[in-house]
Amino acid sequence: MDTLQVNGQTYTVTRLLGKGKGGYSYLAQGSAGPVVVKQIHHEPCSYYQFGDKLQSELRDYRTLSALGLPMPRLLAVDEAQERLVKQYIPGPTVLEQLRAGTLPPEAEDQMLAMCRLLYPAGLNIDYFPTNFILWDGVLYYVDYECNPYDAQWDFSHWGSRYWADTPELRTWLQEHGQT
């Protein structure tokens, strides 16, 4: 895949950034510079149930934006092709910084500040460290997924297990060939 079309605009794919439960995210070059193009996929996910994935992404984006969560701006939506164009937030993910030993303490402080916005609104996000980039002193949640709050899936009970050198993180890295 060399290019992706979104509403008639051509984006040249630079590389795959990652594959999540809902889609593939590509770093791409557009007429105004680098962006992320997310292609929704319909591959099964044994531990997560989706309705309309595109509409879910859009609803979650509006919900989290209204809370003021730092996220990449949504730049375009192509409903027919199930593609989103998002602002590109440069830099390594929190996971990459954890592995390199370069994650500053203020990243977790900013995560806890996000939790103070999310929990009163009855929400959790996907706290896995691949979903966050610390750029220019701001921690960005680069996914748009949110779910109803459940204590077992909040940051302190689930997410924090992956924000340090823990058995859970080591197991994940091993299972994904990143050891």
Side-chain angles (χ1 to χ4, degrees), residues 36-148:
V36 173
V37 178
K38 182 171 184 176
Q39 175 66 61
I40 301 298
H41 68 63
H42 296 283
E43 298 165 13
C45 181
S46 62
Y47 59 91
Y48 199 86
Q49 297 301 313
F50 287 98
D52 182 322
K53 288 183 181 183
L54 181 65
Q55 291 309 313
S56 179
E57 289 260 346
L58 297 173
R59 181 182 59 249
D60 291 351
Y61 174 75
R62 288 188 299 270
T63 298
L64 296 174
S65 292
L67 288 178
L69 223 63
M71 296 184 314
R73 288 185 319 279
L74 179 60
L75 303 173
V77 178
D78 186 326
E79 291 194 28
Q81 296 191 80
E82 296 185 294
R83 292 182 180 150
L84 304 173
V85 179
K86 298 160 70 167
Q87 172 190 12
Y88 174 62
I89 306 295
T93 66
V94 165
L95 179 63
E96 292 167 326
Q97 288 191 296
L98 281 167
R99 294 187 70 206
T102 59
L103 185 67
E106 60 264 19
E108 189 166 339
D109 295 341
Q110 288 186 44
M111 169 52 63
L112 296 173
M114 285 185 195
C115 293
R116 288 190 294 275
L117 296 173
L118 292 162
Y119 299 167
L123 297 171
N124 273 330
I125 55 177
D126 185 345
Y127 300 104
F128 199 75
T130 55
N131 292 321
F132 298 87
I133 294 175
L134 185 65
W135 177 58
D136 206 17
V138 176
L139 184 66
Y140 288 86
Y141 178 52
V142 296
D143 196 358
Y144 293 162
E145 178 188 336
C146 64
N147 296 290

Side-chain angles (χ1 to χ4, degrees), residues 1-59:
M1 176 180 325
D2 296 329
T3 63
L4 291 168
Q5 294 284 320
V6 179
N7 299 328
Q9 173 78 35
T10 301
Y11 295 91
T12 303
V13 174
T14 305
R15 67 183 170 98
L16 176 67
L17 292 171
K19 174 188 180 242
K21 296 181 293 290
Y24 292 87
S25 292
Y26 299 94
L27 176 59
Q29 206 52 239
S31 59
V35 296
V36 173
V37 178
K38 182 171 184 176
Q39 175 66 61
I40 301 298
H41 68 63
H42 296 283
E43 298 165 13
C45 181
S46 62
Y47 59 91
Y48 199 86
Q49 297 301 313
F50 287 98
D52 182 322
K53 288 183 181 183
L54 181 65
Q55 291 309 313
S56 179
E57 289 260 346
L58 297 173
R59 181 182 59 249

